[in-house]
Amino acid sequence: MLDAHLDVIARVNPKLNAIVTLADASARAAAKNAEAAAMRGDRLGALHGLPVVIKDITPTAGIRTTYGSPRFKDHVPTEDAEVVRRLKAAGAIILGKTNTPEFAAGANTFNDVFGVTRNPWNSALSPSGSSGGSAVAVATGMASLAQGTDFGCSIRMPASFNGIVGIRPTPGLTPNYPMPLAWDPGQVHGPLARTAEDAALMLDAMIGFSRRSPISVAPPWSSAFTIVDTVQDLKGLRIAYVSDISGIGVDNEIDVICRAATMSLRDVGATVEEIHFDISDGKAPYQAWRGLWMVGQQYENLDQLEEFGMNLKDNEGRSEDFAAGFCRARAEAHGVVPRLCQVLRKF
């Protein structure tokens, strides 16, 4: 299996630029160990021997992790993120790292370290982001499965743009360690796969309580894969279809396709109703929250803000109004201005 994926990578990746760091040597060694374990009759994990790629903002021990930032272009972590450790424990083979905008700050996948990732269906188009490299790797068969992260659709949009399955789990189900804002529920880790069954299988390996992640929780099911695999129809499932929840506008062709696909679920037992649901008022607060989250993530690097790309600086800047109000309230209540507020005044 590994050789098959490596063949696809050699043929396709130069055109699409999805995998930016290939760990083929360590992957081959892990594949040989996986084969030996199977031959011995060892107890095998659910992902035993499956090549998996990891988004380049998620730390991987011994494998370069750049965060898509020139400041970290040669950075090699000494410790795996908790989700990577869990994937390895389930038998997955880490094949490489996938492209992402700098620190995942963007809806398209490009950065100054590795350049642009292309959509496999049309290389003139975007694969979306920020888990665009992971989605392209799975869609083209460069890897069996891929890990991604999602704050505001960074798994879901690339899955949609590339015709695969992506899941943004409820915050806490997948441990966030290491994370500067350990209590924040914004970013979550999730799977990208070619089928719902594969995504559920990978999700099972990633989720669960961890002492290293204070908001982590145990799942309310014993196996997501079993639930998905045993579904015969959608009887009893209620589905609401909304064309545009944020007032941004939806291309008519996309709307027609999505509406038809959703309504077709009635044929397998689901109850489908088109409703009006408008959360456009939440756009500005969301951008402020995301910007403040970015500030928190980069707290130690704020003095070097000008060294980062425009996407990251834009996200940081969007937190200015919120942060200014926060700082005023903090100063009035306590008579002090923390360092974070002092730095934010530069924006």
Side-chain angles (χ1 to χ4, degrees):
M1 177 180 288
L2 177 61
D3 286 339
H5 285 304
L6 288 171
D7 288 344
V8 175
I9 292 170
R11 186 176 72 253
V12 175
N13 197 56
K15 304 174 187 176
L16 301 179
N17 192 33
I19 296 178
V20 292
T21 298
L22 185 63
D24 51 339
S26 59
R28 287 188 184 280
K32 289 180 180 179
N33 291 336
E35 182 179 35
M39 295 297 290
R40 290 193 303 267
D42 293 355
R43 184 176 180 180
L44 307 179
L47 304 181
H48 188 82
L50 291 177
V52 174
V53 288
I54 307 297
K55 187 175 179 179
D56 199 29
I57 65 164
T58 303
T60 43
I63 303 175
R64 182 175 56 167
T65 301
T66 73
Y67 312 100
S69 174
R71 295 192 71 245
F72 295 91
K73 62 185 178 64
D74 298 315
H75 174 63
V76 179
T78 57
E79 181 183 24
D80 285 324
E82 177 63 13
V83 290
V84 176
R85 187 196 68 78
R86 292 185 177 204
L87 291 170
K88 286 181 176 180
I93 295 171
I94 307 304
L95 181 52
K97 306 302 290 288
T98 58
N99 207 20
T100 177
E102 186 179 27
F103 287 99
N108 296 290
T109 301
F110 65 93
N111 58 61
D112 290 338
V113 182
F114 300 113
V116 178
T117 297
R118 304 289 180 177
N119 190 297
W121 300 97
N122 183 339
S123 60
L125 301 179
S126 170
S128 190
S130 59
S131 303
S134 286
V136 173
V138 169
T140 56
M142 290 191 236
S144 301
L145 301 165
Q147 173 266 352
T149 61
D150 191 313
F151 190 108
C153 280
S154 283
I155 287 175
R156 292 160 288 171
M157 286 196 306
S160 172
F161 276 45
N162 291 276
I164 61 171
V165 178
I167 299 175
R168 184 193 197 277
T170 300
L173 283 178
T174 53
N176 261 346
Y177 178 86
M179 177 65 67
L181 301 178
W183 294 89
D184 190 275
Q187 176 184 284
V188 302
H189 298 267
L192 293 113
R194 286 188 287 276
T195 69
E197 290 82 1
D198 286 353
L201 188 70
M202 184 177 180
L203 183 64
D204 280 339
M206 300 169 71
I207 60 178
F209 174 75
S210 169
R211 294 184 182 276
R212 304 179 111 182
S213 182
I215 66 170
S216 68
V217 296
W221 60 76
S222 59
S223 169
F225 173 77
T226 299
I227 294 172
V228 173
D229 192 47
T230 55
V231 169
Q232 300 299 318
D233 56 49
L234 299 184
K235 290 179 181 177
L237 185 66
R238 298 180 62 198
I239 298 173
Y241 178 77
V242 185
S243 176
D244 182 2
I245 66 173
S246 58
I248 294 175
V250 176
D251 183 88
N252 183 66
E253 182 181 6
I254 297 296
D255 187 37
V256 169
I257 292 171
C258 291
R259 178 180 280 102
T262 305
M263 297 306 170
S264 71
L265 297 176
R266 292 170 172 169
D267 298 336
V268 286
T271 299
V272 182
E273 179 183 358
E274 185 166 1
I275 67 170
H276 176 73
F277 182 61
D278 183 359
I279 57 171
S280 56
D281 288 348
K283 183 179 179 181
Y286 162 77
Q287 290 177 330
W289 174 34
R290 184 181 63 182
L292 194 60
W293 182 86
M294 292 287 183
V295 170
Q297 294 299 312
Q298 298 302 324
Y299 181 77
E300 297 299 327
N301 300 312
L302 288 178
D303 291 340
Q304 290 82 43
L305 185 63
E306 290 305 315
E307 297 180 29
F308 293 103
M310 287 305 301
N311 273 347
L312 185 60
K313 283 189 284 189
D314 181 62
N315 272 280
E316 307 278 12
R318 287 181 184 274
S319 70
E320 179 179 2
D321 291 341
F322 177 87
F326 169 83
C327 291
R328 283 195 299 271
R330 184 71 179 265
E332 291 172 2
H334 302 285
V336 297
V337 180
R339 176 175 178 268
L340 174 60
C341 296
Q342 294 173 338
V343 176
L344 286 170
R345 285 176 175 171
K346 296 179 181 179
F347 295 162

